[in-house]
Structure formats: C-alpha cells, structure tokens
Amino acid sequence: MALSRQRARRPREQPTEGSAGLADPLVQMPARELPQAGLGLSEAYELISSELVLDGQARLNLATFVTTWMPSIAAKLMAETADKNMIDKDEYPQTAEIESRCIDMIARLWNCPDRGQATGCSTTGSSEAAMLAGLALKWRWRERMRTAGKPCDQPNLVMGANVQVCWEKFCRYWDVEPRLVPMEGDRFHLSAHEAVARCDENTIGVVAILGSTFDGSYEPVAEIAAALDGLASERGIDVPLHVDAASGGFVAPFVQPDLHWDFRIERVQSINASGHKYGLVYPGVGWALWRSSDALPHDLIFDVNYLGGHMPTFALNFSRPGSEVIAQYLMFTGLGHDGYRKVMQGSQAVTKHLSKGIAELGPYRLISDGSDLPVFAFALAPETQHYTVFDVSDRLRQRGWLVPAYTFPPNRQDLSVLRIVVRVGMTMEMADLLLEHLREQTEILESLDGPLPAQKPDRRHAFSHN
Ligand SMILES: *Cc1c(COP(=O)(O)O)cnc(C)c1O
C-alpha cells in the first residue's frame, strides 16, 4: 500500500519540543489495513480529529432527531464513565442502580401504574427497545394461542406505513407479517378505524407512533385503544397496544401533559423512547417499559451469573457502555421536570415560528405545523411546476443547512416534502437566518425560466429516518 511505502521512506522522527499537537500534513492515515507500526497515539489523535472536521455541522443539520449538543459537563461525566460496562451489575452496582432510578422516573413520567419497581430496561436506542417490546408481544400472543389450542405460525403486527424502519426490521427478523396501513388523502398516519380493520386473532399487537418521523404528528393513541377495546368486547379479539414514543416520550409529558397516550390508557402494554432524541443524551441510549411485570413474559428474561452474582437481563447485546445511561440520569436530575419543559417548549416555539414564516413565503404549504413534536413537514403548492422540494433542499445545502426532502410512503408517493426537526440549540436567531436563506433561495428558483434538469431523488442520502 502507498502508506507503507511512504512510511518506509519517512522514518518517524521524535516530535520536537513544541510540535506536539500539530499534525504532520505529509502523513497519511492508514485506511484499509492495520498498519505494521503504529503512528503513535498523539499523532493518530491529531490526524483523526482533523479528518473529522469534514463531518457536517451538527447545528445546521435539521434532518436528524438525535441529540447533537449536550452541556460540556455531560461530556466530562461521560468520559469519566466510558469504562463502565452496563451489563456487569456485579462490578458496577451503582451504575445498575442509576439505570433502575431512570426507569422509575420514566415510569412516573408515563403514568405507569406499577410505580416504585417498574418493569423496564435501558437499550442502545429505540430500535433495540422495539425488538424487545415486539418479542414480548409475540411471546404473549403465542401463549394465548397455545392455551386456546390454536395454531401459532402466522403472527402479524398492525401499524401505519409511516413506521420507522425498526418495525419492518422486527417483522423480518422475527418472522412476523407486517400489516402496514397505507396513507390515504390527508391521513398521513394510522387511524383507529384502519387499525382495527386489519386485526384478527393472529395479531400480536398494534403499534401507535408518538410521533411520526414523516411529519412529526402524533397518532391518535387513545382512539386506537378505544377501538381495540371495542374489538375485544364485540368479537373477543384482545389485541395489546404498544406505543413507539421514540421522540414523543420526552416531549408529550412536558408540552402536552393532558394528552392521554401513555399507561393511563389500560390497553397500552409497553412504550419505547430514545434517550438520545428528546431525552437530550448523546447516542446511544433508549428505554423500553412495560405496564407491569405480567406484560413481559418471564421466559424472555435470562439470568446470567458469569460475571459474579445473579442478574436478570433482557437485551439483544451483552456488553455496552454505562456512560449514556449515567448521562441520562445527569440530564434528569440536572434539569428536572421544569428544565425539560423549558427546553421542549422552547423548541416548540421555534418550530411554530419557522412553520408560520415558511407558510407566509408563498409557494409552500404546511403538511404539519409543529403542534405535536417540534417537527414539521411542508410541500410545494401544486401549481409550482418548474422546481421541486429536492431542488429546494439542494439550494439550502449551499447555505450549509441540511433540510431533507423525501417522498411519502404508499398511497401518497405522489407527495414530496421537506422536513425540519428542531432540537435544543436551534435558537430564534438561527430560525430567522434559515427563513432568510429559504426566502433568498426560493426567489432564485422562482426566477428561473423553464424546468431545472430532472433530479433523481436519492432517499438514502436525502432522508434520515432518525
Ligand atoms: C428514531 C425512531 C426510531 C429508532 O430509534 P433509534 O433510537 O434511532 O434506534 C424508532 N421509531 C421512531 C418513531 C423513531 O422516531
């Protein structure tokens, strides 16, 4: 490889005094093969941190839901706790205690009836939490079917076509038929009527989303639950409800405290959320909670004793860092209920300001306005023919803003939108700057004669589902 030739020609010198911390511009980083001789850790550090400058500007990234800013004291605590292994509850009992405190705090936040010792676990994110919650649904359904002496080889899961990809993964990995309810007209997520219409005795559960990644809207959890209650009483088909509150789990309790979406609804058996979204922690931490210990089949829980002591574990991974869970506890205890409310209300105020400003620009129409999650989607008015939302996204990128454009799922593939996710760190001043840049770029697009060269929307790059 070029690199080894280069290294052979240039024997390493000892860093001269004062040069520590300066990367040698002639040194290339080993790329595809473990180098025979290392660069030395400080030189490798300098080179890697210079290389990472090429990554995006997280603050201008309005595509992702994932936390990109934490106070520096959180980074300090995370660095201090990076060596703690979450699974090793015998070696790190205090980290385990902190995890269990977080679960109890979240259980209260979500009005879990089982207070004090709630059933739940931390995960690497909502995806892992969805796998665990989905498995619990599948196990419970199988038990019901076996007891009734019925076959249990055709499980299905009912959800909107707007689900995050983790639910399609769950279905494929664990052999469950996904029953996706398509969008129709101005209905961009699951409705109670459509959900119940697809349920039968092989339905392991219904997933309701709080809120949808496509437009930030909350699905009508209480209505879906009531319709499922009706199905149980009229036809004897008792289908549990899971709420995927990846984002909304840490928004709704603070911004819409009166909205019933959580364990206050009896049919809600389990809930997941991402600590690394509006939980305000760097990736990756998520949470899965069950309404009671009965909602989580005991044979899914392993009792592991290799590390000394006995510990129950329900997880897809084994070892994983304790620092994210500890950082979650830092944010909970440092901000408290009032702090989270302030942050979320602030994000929502910025979102409303942006959506109002964009609606006033002229060619755009709002699909949502940020009343649920601090997230909204907007499309171009149908009379705009000579440029598309993909062109708008491209032009904003020239100003450094990452505002993804993407196409809706069936049956609204005719609809393409732009989406803005507002997170902590996005200020009113930044919002005004974005509005100014959008106005400027829209005027340029409006002034062009004739259609732009056709662009192929590339969903993979254009849209982060996170
Ligand atoms: C982000 C998201 C997920 C996946 O969450 P991760 O924490 O990134 O694994 C699942 N569902 C919804 C609704 C989401 O927004």
Side-chain angles (χ1 to χ4, degrees):
M1 284 187 75
L3 170 80
S4 45
R5 282 201 303 276
Q6 185 183 18
R7 296 229 53 95
R9 278 204 308 274
R10 297 182 60 250
R12 191 199 323 278
E13 296 153 27
Q14 288 302 313
T16 48
E17 200 162 344
S19 76
L22 294 181
D24 178 344
L26 297 177
V27 175
Q28 275 185 21
M29 283 301 275
R32 308 279 164 217
E33 199 178 342
L34 184 66
Q36 194 61 46
L39 300 173
L41 290 174
S42 37
E43 191 162 342
Y45 170 86
E46 291 305 331
L47 285 160
I48 292 169
S49 53
S50 322
E51 182 171 350
L52 291 176
V53 169
L54 298 175
D55 275 344
Q57 256 292 343
R59 285 240 189 155
L60 300 184
N61 181 348
L62 304 180
T64 183
F65 287 83
V66 174
T67 303
T68 49
W69 180 86
M70 283 183 84
S72 55
I73 202 150
K76 178 171 180 286
L77 184 62
M78 289 179 84
E80 285 165 13
T81 54
D83 59 334
K84 292 181 190 292
N85 185 357
M86 199 65 240
I87 194 75
D88 194 345
K89 299 187 193 324
D90 202 50
E91 175 72 18
Y92 305 110
Q94 225 42 46
T95 302
E97 164 66 17
I98 282 176
E99 179 194 31
S100 125
R101 288 180 196 168
C102 287
I103 291 165
D104 284 335
M105 286 183 183
I106 297 169
R108 277 166 195 264
L109 199 61
W110 295 345
N111 298 291
C112 186
D114 222 7
R115 291 169 179 211
Q117 260 205 329
T119 302
C121 55
S122 67
T123 61
T124 52
S126 279
S127 299
E128 187 188 6
M131 301 298 145
L132 301 181
L135 281 171
L137 291 176
K138 186 176 174 185
W139 254 238
R140 285 181 59 199
W141 163 81
R142 203 167 53 190
E143 198 48 45
R144 285 198 297 279
M145 294 300 273
R146 279 182 183 151
T147 309
K150 291 182 174 166
C152 44
D153 53 354
Q154 300 273 320
N156 69 69
L157 182 65
V158 172
M159 53 205 165
N162 53 311
V163 282
Q164 210 265 358
V165 66
C166 69
W167 291 102
E168 294 176 63
K169 269 189 188 173
F170 166 77
C171 287
R172 196 168 310 164
Y173 294 172
W174 273 281
D175 250 332
V176 172
E177 176 205 345
R179 292 202 175 157
L180 297 173
V181 176
M183 293 180 173
E184 215 64 73
D186 286 340
R187 182 177 56 69
F188 300 123
H189 57 220
L190 191 61
S191 72
H193 174 77
E194 296 290 336
V196 167
R198 281 165 184 79
C199 289
D200 55 31
E201 61 180 8
N202 284 321
T203 303
I204 65 170
V206 171
V207 176
I209 311 167
L210 200 88
S212 174
T213 57
F214 283 89
D215 60 0
S217 65
Y218 292 161
E219 292 189 334
V221 183
E223 280 174 34
I224 295 170
L228 290 173
D229 288 346
L231 180 72
S233 59
E234 284 154 30
R235 293 176 46 206
I237 298 175
D238 200 359
V239 179
L241 184 56
H242 172 84
V243 182
D244 177 358
S247 296
F250 293 116
V251 175
F254 306 109
V255 179
Q256 299 98 357
D258 298 328
L259 179 73
H260 280 226
W261 65 274
D262 54 17
F263 290 118
R264 281 170 286 185
I265 300 172
E266 225 165 294
R267 191 154 290 274
V268 172
Q269 294 300 302
S270 46
I271 301 175
N272 70 272
S274 299
H276 57 224
K277 289 184 177 173
Y278 290 100
L280 306 179
V281 180
Y282 288 140
V285 59
W287 302 95
L289 267 72
W290 286 265
R291 132 170 245 104
S292 67
S293 59
D294 294 340
L296 176 59
H298 298 283
D299 56 348
L300 283 172
I301 300 170
F302 285 81
D303 183 47
V304 175
N305 64 5
Y306 334 116
L307 298 171
H310 282 269
M311 55 191 137
T313 150
F314 185 28
L316 299 183
N317 329 40
F318 195 63
S319 302
R320 110 182 119 80
S323 45
E324 285 93 353
V325 168
I326 293 170
Q328 181 80 78
Y329 189 56
L330 172 74
M331 297 311 281
F332 282 168
T333 53
L335 294 186
H337 206 283
D338 290 346
Y340 270 87
R341 196 184 60 235
K342 243 190 205 151
V343 169
M344 300 309 152
Q345 285 178 342
S347 293
Q348 201 186 38
V350 171
T351 314
K352 290 270 179 104
H353 177 68
L354 269 172
S355 64
K356 185 166 168 282
I358 287 172
E360 284 165 1
L361 285 182
Y364 301 106
R365 65 189 174 89
L366 298 180
I367 301 297
S368 52
D369 69 352
S371 301
D372 294 341
L373 291 182
V375 170
F376 67 101
F378 55 105
L380 276 165
E383 47 292 0
T384 309
Q385 297 287 334
H386 68 289
Y387 64 96
T388 67
V389 288
F390 299 96
D391 299 318
V392 177
S393 176
D394 252 16
R395 299 220 54 116
L396 281 174
R397 206 178 272 251
Q398 293 172 19
R399 283 298 206 160
W401 299 99
L402 211 69
V403 177
Y406 53 92
T407 303
F408 269 25
N411 292 328
R412 284 308 312 268
Q413 296 104 320
D414 58 305
L415 180 62
S416 295
V417 303
L418 292 148
R419 183 192 67 194
I420 289 180
V421 175
V422 174
R423 303 186 307 280
V424 63
M426 175 86 177
T427 60
M428 282 290 184
E429 286 75 19
M430 288 170 71
D432 282 332
L433 193 63
L434 171 62
L435 283 174
E436 195 183 308
H437 287 160
L438 181 60
R439 180 178 302 115
E440 161 201 297
Q441 297 302 321
T442 306
E443 275 167 14
I444 295 174
L445 286 166
E446 287 281 333
S447 70
L448 295 173
D449 298 332
L452 288 170
Q455 275 191 2
K456 253 214 187 125
D458 179 347
R459 286 188 90 226
R460 193 165 51 92
H461 290 296
F463 177 37
S464 155
H465 262 294
N466 278 327

